Amino acid sequence: MKNYIAIDIGASSGRLILSYFENEVIQLEEIYRFKNKFRKEAGYERWDMDYLIQEILQGLSFAKEKDITSCYVGIDTWAVDYCLLDKAGNRLDQPIAYRDSRTEDAVATFSEKMPLATLYEKTGIQIQSFNTIFQLFVEEKDRLAKAETLLLIPDYLGYVFTGKAVTEKTNASTMQLLHAGTQNWNQDILQLLDITEALFPPLVDAGTVLGRLRQEDFIEYDLPEAVFVSIASHDTASAVLGTPGEGADWAYISSGTWSLLGVETTVADVSKEAFIANYTNEWGVHNTIRFLKNIMGMWLIQEVARMQEYYYSYAELVDMAETVPPFQQFVDVNDERFLNPTNMIEELQSYCQETKQTVPQTAAEIARCVYDNLALCYAAELQKLETLTGTTEKICKLHIVGGGSNNRLLNQLTADIANIEIEAGPSEATAIGNIVMQMICTGVFTDAAEARHAIHRSFDCSVHQPRPMDPMILQNYQLFIKEVSK
């Protein structure tokens, strides 16, 4: 029996999840967990890569203690951030986090050199100030001049453990440096940034074998014999692969720190309408495209909980929110003021005060405000998605996967407002997508459809049917968002 380990690292934590395929069912077991966060260092918010490497090695050592002597391994993380390496292959410094303020004015300044509509037409990627293109646009020139190689975070980790440098395509697409049609580096953009294609290792498909773990480089650890596979290394790409959708009439929300709402297609939409709606065309496995909208997501409630020093658990916040009357405020959850505020509670309160609405005061009221407006945003974007994709048939089912799929209140609110059946789960969709890509690579499954069928029978999901809802609530919300966006 083959063993598989998913290394799944997010903005706040990382896990190693062991898996194997037995009796036609995918088995999962979390074997190691560690915290993650960025911190201020040398003038920027940065990730600690040495810490992440150490934690991964500790997790693999723990796997060996559990008698896992051989395994396949895949790594997924967040997108857009990168490490710069010198000519000797050494990292210049710790990578700067996408939530750092250095790109605050980058979009406006960049647009003076290339219209944003042109950028979108070339790349198909939504305009977000933290995208790699804007990070490179404001990158310190002397730092960039010392760089021989640029590696996205999961590719860098794979390089550390195997010595092989690649640029995995699903993650590379988020950089906003690749041509949406040819799927090659866009030379016009590279020239504008004053860099060349030589900065990047070769582009590879998800499912490419990187090589064996170089145990000789980590002799202080007792490690299993491991073969690393370059899976769909952007966590959203893995989450979508791990979504048990069947047929063609479903959409998804990958609900975590970010909420990614979209459909799986095969042709990029770089139309003016898609640009205005700020939808993105990220690449998925097996030549698919994730046509989706990036929504601020559970970050809002995570920061609310943090500001309360985690006095209430997330489950308690849901219970408390259910006691509060719904829809007392309308909030544009995608406003950039919520990207990395000093205090999320005060930022939400200030927003409501500035827009002359009832200001939420208690923990229950603040949580209710977040959940209501996430659900309203999901429903509004689902309507927009149907219009953009020109579907002749209404999307019949919405799959919500990831950690946010455990939020029964938000799931039911979304079902009610969007008037759609919701299937929630699995919560570990990202790790599952990571695992099944390894399984496809090693012949357990032939393709994504077969893997998704196995996912559906392997993991329990909850179903939420829509209940009657006043349609004016959504319409009033959409009018409000349109007005405040002017």
Side-chain angles (χ1 to χ4, degrees), residues 218-484:
F218 311 102
I219 57 175
E220 64 271 35
Y221 296 91
D222 184 19
L223 301 169
E225 295 286 339
V227 174
F228 279 70
V229 178
S230 185
I231 48 85
S233 61
H234 180 202
D235 51 13
T236 305
S238 276
V240 172
L241 177 59
T243 300
E246 297 180 296
D249 59 351
W250 57 278
Y252 57 81
I253 297 177
S254 176
S255 179
T257 300
W258 292 93
S259 289
L260 298 310
L261 182 151
V263 294
E264 198 171 60
T265 66
T266 56
V267 180
D269 180 355
V270 295
S271 65
K272 179 180 178 182
E273 291 76 16
F275 167 67
I276 292 172
N278 211 20
Y279 270 67
T280 199
N281 296 270
E282 297 174 357
W283 303 349
V285 302
H286 298 162
N287 298 314
T288 57
I289 290 171
R290 291 171 285 124
F291 185 63
L292 60 84
K293 180 65 175 283
N294 212 11
I295 298 168
M296 200 68 75
M298 304 309 289
W299 165 253
L300 296 160
I301 202 68
Q302 290 168 357
E303 283 295 282
V304 166
R306 187 174 72 85
M307 287 299 103
Q308 297 167 336
E309 298 184 338
Y310 301 103
Y311 184 81
Y312 303 106
S313 69
Y314 294 125
E316 287 173 328
L317 287 171
V318 169
D319 291 341
M320 293 161 59
E322 287 181 314
T323 68
V324 175
F327 309 114
Q328 298 300 298
Q329 302 90 11
F330 289 149
V331 175
D332 181 2
V333 295
N334 281 331
D335 193 304
E336 287 209 358
R337 68 192 294 169
F338 302 124
L339 184 62
N340 192 23
T342 303
N343 186 309
M344 184 65 77
I345 293 174
E346 292 178 357
E347 200 69 41
L348 286 164
Q349 291 172 329
S350 296
Y351 181 97
C352 293
Q353 188 172 32
E354 291 165 18
T355 52
K356 297 179 173 57
Q357 301 184 84
T358 301
V359 178
Q361 300 292 341
T362 67
E365 291 170 346
I366 292 163
R368 184 78 207 204
C369 173
V370 169
Y371 296 139
D372 283 349
N373 283 280
L374 281 174
L376 285 163
C377 183
Y378 294 164
E381 291 300 338
L382 193 62
Q383 281 187 356
K384 197 176 296 179
L385 179 63
E386 287 185 323
T387 301
L388 289 170
T389 54
T391 52
T392 56
E393 296 182 8
K394 178 179 172 64
I395 295 172
C396 295
K397 182 182 287 188
L398 179 63
H399 288 271
I400 300 182
V401 298
S405 68
N406 295 317
N407 190 317
R408 66 181 188 278
L409 172 60
L410 183 54
N411 293 340
Q412 190 60 56
L413 280 170
T414 305
D416 297 343
I417 299 168
N419 191 30
I420 193 172
E421 177 186 320
I422 285 177
E423 186 171 314
S427 60
E428 296 289 356
T430 300
I432 293 167
N434 180 322
I435 292 292
V436 299
M437 191 70 249
Q438 296 180 55
M439 290 181 173
I440 291 170
C441 177
T442 55
V444 176
F445 305 122
T446 57
D447 55 23
E450 186 179 348
R452 282 172 172 155
H453 188 66
I455 293 168
H456 208 278
R457 68 172 178 264
S458 300
F459 302 97
D460 293 331
C461 299
S462 62
V463 176
H464 303 263
Q465 298 293 348
R467 303 173 303 193
M469 172 70 67
D470 182 358
M472 289 303 297
I473 293 174
L474 179 57
Q475 291 179 34
N476 290 338
Y477 166 81
Q478 291 171 314
L479 288 171
F480 172 85
I481 298 300
K482 184 177 181 180
E483 184 64 27
V484 298

